[in-house]
Amino acid sequence: MTSFEDRLETALAAVRTRGQWRETRPAALAPGGRIARGGRTFIDFSSNDYLGLSGHPLLAERAGEWAARLGAGAGASRLVTGTLDAHLALEARLAAFKGAEAALLFASGWQANATVIPTLLAAAPGTAVFTDRLIHASMHAGCAAAGARQHRFRHNDLAHLAELLETHGKAAPARLILVESVYSMDGDRADIPGLAALALRHDAFLYVDEAHATGVLGPQGKGLCAGVAGVGLVMGTFSKAFGGFGAYVAGSAALRDWLVNAASGFIFSTAPPPAVLGAIDAALDLVPGMEAERAHLAALAERLRTGLAAQGLDTGGSTSQIVPAIIGAEEAALAASARLAEAGLLAAAIRPPTVARGTSRLRIALRAAHTGDDVDTLLGALHGALR
Ligand SMILES: *Cc1c(COP(=O)(O)O)cnc(C)c1O
């Protein structure tokens, strides 16, 4: 064993000791918002397939068609020979969908944030960076890659952000604000018009991650930035409501040009393959017309929040398809999740460091395929699990 492997074993043992062991376990999507795992079928409240598109035949068909016609892989990075007509056509479609001048595809949402943020900062050294306390790990990765110091404001607290912009922003040559439009562990929304106005007032560039809003919220599922002036960049993923894989960034033509010329994660990564593009293209056909599914999701979420409140459970600021049932102690959240699983329901327990100490919770992600009965079943089982 090398010294390195020796240390690897020690590090792994420490993870076990902390009770933070994680592992990959197989599961298979099943119709009706279900999932099959270990020979059992569960009502699934833990995946992000909000509109059920991952199992939609049109996506699978078009993915297959495009792969058969254009190949299984793009063969090269975008700037070499990897750019197909399909990439450019899809980017034009996306730009139109997001109401932006231009859009650019990325392999994944994580990769987009991790590479786009340092690339933006490379254009403007010394930029002061302001981040919501609850931004996603991928945005932290982007800031770290840039070696940027974050001025972190209290979650969704625009007054605190304004204060930080005053104290730390004034002397900087430029300002960048990083937020999400819907927060993944709380299901609450950022005040995008308020943030945009603040950004404008302080000459700051506003960067919004719409991973959980894309497809679900806003007119035709266009997200919460739709129609708001003053948002510099919108990023989103196709792996959640869009049911597939991949991600995009939408903004000005200059922004796209800069990323094409300078983003390492774009330049040195193979272009997204035709099957992935086909699924996105099919989802773009479907998503704008899925108003009934979006309304159903909103109604389910309301029903769930009302039911949880009746049990005395805090749902934080949730106003979306993501509803936390905040339990408090780590062990209690884990026990509740385990008892729900025994009852045939999957809802992930989220603990520190993902969320603040004392706010361990079940993260309940609703899907359009769920019924009101599914929500009632969950409420009943949770009532039993917490007694
Ligand atoms: C899921 C998620 C991502 C990462 O997107 P992937 O396409 O899954 O890599 C980025 N940001 C937020 C807020 C997310 O929830």
Side-chain angles (χ1 to χ4, degrees):
M1 207 191 274
T2 62
S3 305
F4 178 80
E5 287 163 306
D6 209 33
R7 286 185 165 70
L8 188 64
E9 291 297 336
T10 308
L12 270 177
V15 172
R16 276 193 196 279
T17 309
R18 287 199 301 272
Q20 291 178 341
W21 188 257
R22 302 170 191 227
E23 58 190 4
T24 53
R25 289 190 297 149
L29 288 168
R34 267 55 175 173
I35 215 160
R37 173 177 270 173
R40 284 185 69 190
T41 300
F42 297 86
I43 310 179
D44 172 40
F45 294 101
S46 52
S47 77
N48 305 312
D49 186 20
Y50 303 125
L51 296 175
L53 288 179
S54 79
H56 197 290
L58 193 66
L59 273 72
E61 250 168 52
R62 198 164 304 169
E65 233 174 65
W66 287 27
R69 189 156 50 83
L70 301 167
S77 59
R78 290 285 304 270
L79 295 180
V80 181
T81 57
T83 296
L84 305 166
D85 286 334
H87 289 102
L88 298 177
L90 195 52
E91 283 168 347
R93 256 197 110 175
L94 273 166
F97 178 69
K98 298 301 288 185
E101 242 173 59
L104 191 64
L105 291 165
F106 283 86
S108 78
W110 194 96
Q111 196 211 18
N113 280 332
T115 194
V116 170
I117 291 168
T119 306
L120 294 180
L121 292 171
T127 294
V129 181
F130 301 87
T131 57
D132 187 285
R133 283 242 173 95
L134 296 189
I135 55 165
H136 192 257
S138 53
M139 287 200 261
H140 286 297
C143 290
R149 162 159 184 227
Q150 296 182 37
H151 300 289
R152 303 177 75 182
F153 57 95
R154 285 188 294 274
H155 177 51
N156 273 343
D157 186 340
L158 271 57
H160 191 207
L161 171 59
E163 205 180 298
L164 292 179
L165 282 163
E166 283 291 332
T167 50
H168 298 283
K170 282 247 158 82
R175 287 142 294 281
L176 172 67
I177 301 171
L178 304 176
V179 297
E180 295 177 28
S181 59
V182 170
Y183 285 86
S184 54
M185 297 301 145
D186 292 71
D188 58 350
R189 307 180 189 203
D191 169 10
I192 300 295
L195 283 161
L198 194 58
L200 238 39
R201 207 173 319 132
H202 289 267
D203 179 33
F205 186 88
L206 179 60
Y207 181 123
V208 184
D209 179 332
E210 293 244 54
H212 294 279
T214 304
V216 179
L217 298 173
Q220 300 184 301
K222 292 176 177 178
L224 295 181
C225 295
V228 181
V231 179
L233 178 156
V234 177
M235 169 271 164
T237 169
F238 301 115
S239 58
K240 288 165 182 158
F242 269 62
F245 192 68
Y248 66 88
V249 156
S252 69
L255 178 79
R256 184 183 186 280
D257 287 343
W258 175 246
L259 295 174
V260 164
N261 281 277
S264 177
F266 174 82
I267 298 170
F268 299 106
S269 186
T270 298
V276 164
L277 304 182
I280 297 169
D281 191 65
L284 271 172
D285 285 353
L286 299 169
V287 163
M290 298 183 84
E291 289 302 342
E293 284 82 355
R294 282 186 281 274
H296 177 60
L297 258 182
L300 287 176
E302 198 49 47
R303 184 183 187 123
L304 176 59
R305 283 189 293 266
T306 304
L308 291 171
Q311 294 185 31
L313 281 166
D314 183 5
T315 57
S318 165
T319 55
S320 73
Q321 75 282 7
I322 302 166
V323 181
I326 300 172
I327 290 171
E330 244 179 272
E331 302 69 31
L334 281 172
S337 177
R339 296 183 81 167
L340 287 181
E342 282 164 23
L345 301 142
L346 282 192
I350 310 289
R351 317 174 269 156
T354 309
V355 295
R357 197 154 292 286
T359 71
S360 287
R361 64 196 62 188
L362 296 172
R363 175 184 183 271
I364 303 166
L366 294 162
R367 297 162 56 174
H370 290 144
T371 62
D373 281 351
D374 290 337
V375 168
D376 294 345
T377 301
L378 173 65
L379 286 166
L382 192 55
H383 187 67
L386 290 174
R387 238 182 336 181

